């Protein structure tokens, strides 16, 4: 079956199998920032935006994306690089495997929670990012990076 949707701002068409997951289609289309770390929807590595909202691509049937807009980190290079610099500065990128999904969620959180210059409290940030697992950092550096990034971008 043919699936038509928008990927990173461009219309695409892809042949998909019945029951195929969005994750697999995105990887086939060259979106290698989208990773699969758990296959149980628990790690956040496969996070993409669907119509601007974060979604786990490993749990979404690709067929549901017909006529929707999907954004991966490949479509947010400038924003991702800006926040990625904060991760690196705080020593929070380490192996980097979880970074794309984490960055997608931080950028989504910024859009959703940081209106009118508002900066979310630590607990709000933790809650929003709770679905992102990292085996390397212990999260302290990541939290410092998020807080500094939000202060600078909203201050």
């Amino acid at each position: 079956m043919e699936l038509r949707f928008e990927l990173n701002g461009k219309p695409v068409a892809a042949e998909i199998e019945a029951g195929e997951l969005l994750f697999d289609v995105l990887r086939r289309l060259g979106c290698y920032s989208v990773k699969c770390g758990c296959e149980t929807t628990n790690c956040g590595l496969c996070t993409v935006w669907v119509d601007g909202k974060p979604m786990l691509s490993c749990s979404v049937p690709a067929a549901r994306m017909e006529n929707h807009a999907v954004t991966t980190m490949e479509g947010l290079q400038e924003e991702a690089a800006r926040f990625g610099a904060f991760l690196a500065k705080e020593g929070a990128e380490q192996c980097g495997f979880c970074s794309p999904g984490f960055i997608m969620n931080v950028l989504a959180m910024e859009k959703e929670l940081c209106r009118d210059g508002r900066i979310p409290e630590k607990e709000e940030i933790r809650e929003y990012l709770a679905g992102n697992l990292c085996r390397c950092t212990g999260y302290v550096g990541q939290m410092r990076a998020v807080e500094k990034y939000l202060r600078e971008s909203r201050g």
Side-chain angles (χ1 to χ4, degrees), residues 32-84:
Y32 300 117
S33 69
V34 183
K35 308 244 184 1
C36 189
C38 69
E39 298 181 19
T40 60
T41 69
N42 287 310
C43 71
L45 273 66
C46 66
T47 301
V48 298
W49 294 354
V50 176
D51 299 330
K53 299 286 184 192
M55 189 172 285
L56 299 173
S57 64
C58 75
S59 67
V60 178
R64 285 188 41 206
M65 294 302 102
E66 185 75 27
N67 299 318
H68 287 278
V70 177
T71 305
T72 67
M73 201 165 78
E74 285 83 357
L76 298 169
Q77 287 296 305
E78 190 175 310
E79 299 91 332
R82 187 165 177 271
F83 175 66

Side-chain angles (χ1 to χ4, degrees), residues 4-155:
R4 293 180 181 277
F5 65 107
E6 182 180 294
L7 178 59
N8 297 323
K10 296 179 179 132
V12 295
E15 280 298 316
I16 63 169
E17 300 292 324
E20 190 170 15
L21 295 174
L22 177 59
F23 169 81
D24 296 311
V25 173
L26 293 174
R27 296 284 296 189
R28 197 168 60 246
L29 291 173
C31 296
Y32 300 117
S33 69
V34 183
K35 308 244 184 1
C36 189
C38 69
E39 298 181 19
T40 60
T41 69
N42 287 310
C43 71
L45 273 66
C46 66
T47 301
V48 298
W49 294 354
V50 176
D51 299 330
K53 299 286 184 192
M55 189 172 285
L56 299 173
S57 64
C58 75
S59 67
V60 178
R64 285 188 41 206
M65 294 302 102
E66 185 75 27
N67 299 318
H68 287 278
V70 177
T71 305
T72 67
M73 201 165 78
E74 285 83 357
L76 298 169
Q77 287 296 305
E78 190 175 310
E79 299 91 332
R82 187 165 177 271
F83 175 66
F86 282 83
L87 281 175
K89 196 175 210 176
E90 294 302 321
E93 84 284 10
Q94 295 190 9
C95 85
F97 193 69
C98 70
S99 296
F102 184 73
I103 290 170
M104 292 299 289
N105 275 314
V106 168
L107 297 176
M109 177 185 63
E110 180 184 22
K111 284 177 36 178
E112 186 178 331
L113 300 182
C114 299
R115 295 185 185 102
D116 303 320
R118 178 183 176 281
I119 299 174
E121 300 292 324
K122 281 185 183 193
E123 194 52 43
E124 287 178 283
I125 295 170
R126 281 190 191 103
E127 186 176 315
Y128 199 96
L129 301 175
N132 290 93
L133 298 182
C134 176
R135 292 178 173 99
C136 298
T137 67
Y139 305 104
V140 175
Q142 288 178 330
M143 281 299 292
R144 279 194 315 263
V146 170
E147 290 173 322
K148 288 179 180 181
Y149 169 77
L150 294 176
R151 274 197 306 273
E152 186 174 299
S153 65
R154 295 294 159 182

